[in-house]
Amino acid sequence: MKKKLLATILAAAMVASMAACGKKEEAPAAPAETEAPAEAPAETEAPAEAPAESGETVKVILVTMDGLDNHWVNVDKGASAAAAELGIDYQWMQPDKKDTALQIEVLNNAIAAEPDVICVAAVDPVAIVETLQSALDAGIKIIYVDSAAELEASAAFRTDNFAAGKQAGEQMLKGLEEKGIKSGDIGVVAFSNATQTSVDRTSGFIEAFEGTDFNILEVQYGNSEVAASQAAAENFISQNVVGVYGDNEPGAVGVGNAAAANKDWEGVAIGFDASSMTLDQVDSGALYCVMAQNPAKMGDGAVRAAYTLATGGSLTETDVDTGAAVVTKDNTADFR
């Protein structure tokens, strides 16, 4: 009986033990206890942080030839507007006047500020190469605005100055024809013999007279100063030239002033760059016309390209002709 009772007790214990073991084996399958994988995404949100790094503010500095010429003021307007739209840390730096040594000093200050991109209009295409190379060596990208140096850069936004200069020459021929003038001497007041912009505008202008009976006198330089440009233009007028051309805004203003001061002169005066002063001179008749660039477009394009490069993008076009237009009495209002 005891044996039978003992066997019964042992059998019951075994059943209970097996039942308990069965419950332990089911525990791992309990969904409420093993939802760790569902929590994983909360610990792997790092990709959402990436934009914070790649979205760091892009820093761009514009360095122009000077800060006085209205042309550079308008380049800055286009650049600063684009920078504001894109959220760029933007700064315009410039020397007090067109001077290579002063521009190099400004460029060195710009490099020390460690921007992502420097947009620069070169006063001298050769003299600033070493300075620009130091910027490239520091990991700073270079974009040319208006006037390039002899160093490869990421992009350039500029007028085809040779073509625009030739167009200015063709306009002078048109003005001379209207006055019935078929031959004579032509004077050119350029702003520099070193800056490629000036060289191209002068060369293009001179080419327009090839095969004609007009003679181009030795080029005079106004150094981007209105007074010096006016003196050069008045000197030409005293030599009985039939036409005078000023190849930038201060040169154009100086030429226009000279034409206005010599009311008996019956020649044709033409300038380059549209500003409030040159447009007034066109309206008054002192200047027959001026060639208008698109400085705001240069600044806008350069800053947008700088942003693209600084954020890892690539440019589809790296040498952009921003164009030029002829401004006469008929359309000055469109450029004010």
Side-chain angles (χ1 to χ4, degrees), residues 216-283:
I216 307 296
L217 298 179
E218 183 179 352
V219 176
Q220 300 296 308
Y221 296 94
N223 302 313
S224 287
E225 296 174 358
V226 172
S229 299
Q230 181 173 344
E234 290 185 339
N235 180 51
F236 279 133
I237 290 173
S238 72
Q239 299 176 55
N240 298 314
V241 295
V242 297
V244 185
Y245 165 59
D247 77 349
N248 73 340
E249 194 227 358
V253 172
V255 167
N257 287 345
N262 290 269
K263 298 186 183 301
D264 294 334
W265 182 60
E266 297 182 353
V268 175
I270 283 181
F272 210 108
D273 287 331
S275 68
S276 59
M277 294 185 71
T278 59
L279 293 175
D280 285 346
Q281 290 175 326
V282 171
D283 281 336

Side-chain angles (χ1 to χ4, degrees), residues 16-30 33-34:
S17 175
M18 288 176 66
C21 289
K23 286 181 182 177
K24 285 181 182 177
E25 286 174 2
E26 288 175 6
E33 301 287 333
T34 58

Side-chain angles (χ1 to χ4, degrees), residues 167 202 214 317:
Q167 193 173 11
T202 297
F214 293 97
E317 191 174 0

Side-chain angles (χ1 to χ4, degrees), residues 1-8:
M1 194 66 178
K2 286 181 181 179
K3 288 181 181 179
K4 194 175 206 178
L5 180 60
L6 180 61
T8 301

